[in-house]
């Protein structure tokens, strides 16, 4: 089965982009001939793993016990007995393992996965019913795990890229989307960075829970935007 799956995902048909020309759309509007790749939002598991990979935090350990990534405060509150959500401290590799190893409780599923339409597992489900809602964007912007990924991606952009601000933003865009950044997108993100940096310099209290310098905090917000781009969470 693994050999067959590898043949699928390495084929030219599977690896097509979802972009379509008017001529091609006229010939194959429903994509029955597989003339283009399907366009769909990543699942919650994919979105989390993609963010961990882009930020450089992903821990590649295979197998082992379930893991407990960060969750919003209060989610696990009803369970006050010994069954607690034991999130490892920041820096612990077990905090950054692949989504498939996340501990699952049917009565309270992992919030981000549920937001991205993961089944509750209370009954058998043959397929997911995908949606595209503002709540999913809010999850990527505000979920503790994604915020930590944004901080780590900002650190990559600041220290792993030599040269100008544009080089740093280009590195972050490449890491999150696997594409080269376009001039208009680069200009937008550079303007955002400059505006944020000036804001944080004028009022440092706004940098709470972010990197302690105005430029680092501005890069963190830019990194959060990159993780939430349509190019990053839609394939």
């Amino acid at each position: 089965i693994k050999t067959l799956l590898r043949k699928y995902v390495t084929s030219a048909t599977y690896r097509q982009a979802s972009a379509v020309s008017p001529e091609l759309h006229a010939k194959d509007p429903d994509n029955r001939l597989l003339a283009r790749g399907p366009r769909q939002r990543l699942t919650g598991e994919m979105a989390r793993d993609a963010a961990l990979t882009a930020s450089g935090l992903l821990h590649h350990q295979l197998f082992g016990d379930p893991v407990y990534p960060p969750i919003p405060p209060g989610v696990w509150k009803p369970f006050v007995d010994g069954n607690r959500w034991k999130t490892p401290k920041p820096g612990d590799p077990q905090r950054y393992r692949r989504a498939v190893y996340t501990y699952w409780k049917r009565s309270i599923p992992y919030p981000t996965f549920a937001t991205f339409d993961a089944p509750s597992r209370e009954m058998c489900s043959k397929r997911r019913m995908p949606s595209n809602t503002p709540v999913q964007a809010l999850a990527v912007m505000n979920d503790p795990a994604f915020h930590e990924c944004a901080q780590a991606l900002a650190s990559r952009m600041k220290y792993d890229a030599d040269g100008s601000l544009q080089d740093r933003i280009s590195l972050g865009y490449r890491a999150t989307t696997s594409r080269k950044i376009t001039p208009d997108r680069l200009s937008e993100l550079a303007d955002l960075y400059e505006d944020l940096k000036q804001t944080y310099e004028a009022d440092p209290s706004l940098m709470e829970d972010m990197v302690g310098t105005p430029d680092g905090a501005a890069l963190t917000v830019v990194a959060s935007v990159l993780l939430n781009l349509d190019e990053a969470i839609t394939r």
Side-chain angles (χ1 to χ4, degrees):
I1 293 177
K2 282 189 175 183
T3 301
L4 179 62
L5 291 177
R6 181 179 292 276
K7 190 172 185 63
Y8 283 157
V9 301
T10 56
S11 67
T13 302
Y14 184 90
R15 294 159 63 186
Q16 290 182 114
S18 59
V20 58
S21 64
E23 296 80 10
L24 187 59
H25 186 270
K27 292 180 180 179
D28 188 18
D30 298 325
N31 202 28
R32 294 176 61 87
L33 303 178
L34 303 180
R36 60 185 180 276
R39 177 177 171 82
Q40 61 190 50
R41 178 167 290 222
L42 299 180
T43 65
E45 295 91 332
M46 290 178 180
R48 181 173 180 275
D49 286 355
L52 288 171
T53 302
S55 64
L57 291 175
L58 183 66
H59 181 50
H60 295 275
Q61 177 189 338
L62 299 177
F63 315 117
D65 296 331
V67 294
Y68 301 83
I71 57 175
V75 171
W76 211 250
K77 190 175 182 179
F79 296 88
V80 294
D81 56 5
N83 187 13
R84 296 178 180 272
W85 191 271
K86 304 175 285 292
T87 301
K89 295 181 179 180
D92 187 329
Q94 295 301 309
R95 187 181 175 99
Y96 312 114
R97 294 187 62 197
R98 288 175 56 205
V100 70
Y101 296 110
T102 301
Y103 181 83
W104 194 283
K105 193 174 187 71
R106 286 178 293 177
S107 54
I108 302 185
Y110 187 64
T112 302
F113 298 167
T115 301
F116 279 79
D117 310 307
S120 66
R121 302 189 186 183
E122 293 176 302
M123 60 184 70
C124 181
S125 177
K126 293 194 300 183
R127 66 187 181 96
R128 300 186 183 191
M129 300 301 293
S131 65
N132 191 341
T133 72
V135 177
Q136 295 161 345
L138 290 171
V140 178
M141 293 174 66
N142 298 292
D143 182 273
F146 281 96
H147 178 64
E148 193 170 357
C149 289
Q151 290 179 313
L153 178 58
S155 181
R156 282 193 66 189
M157 294 162 65
K158 185 174 182 178
Y159 297 110
D160 291 356
D162 297 326
S164 64
L165 169 64
Q166 285 73 17
D167 292 331
R168 293 185 170 88
I169 294 176
S170 297
L171 183 148
Y173 188 88
R174 180 75 174 179
T176 52
T177 68
S178 299
R179 305 178 188 177
K180 291 184 179 180
I181 194 167
T182 57
D184 57 336
R185 184 69 87 187
L186 180 58
S187 177
E188 292 172 348
L189 293 171
D191 289 344
L192 173 64
Y193 169 86
E194 295 294 349
D195 290 344
L196 289 168
K197 183 180 177 183
Q198 293 177 13
T199 299
Y200 293 139
E201 288 174 341
D203 188 358
S205 64
L206 297 175
M207 297 189 301
E208 185 178 356
D209 297 329
M210 290 193 288
V211 180
T213 59
D215 64 326
L219 278 176
T220 299
V221 177
V222 171
S224 181
V225 171
L226 288 170
L227 292 172
N228 199 44
L229 286 176
D230 182 71
E231 303 97 299
I233 60 175
T234 304
R235 69 177 182 90

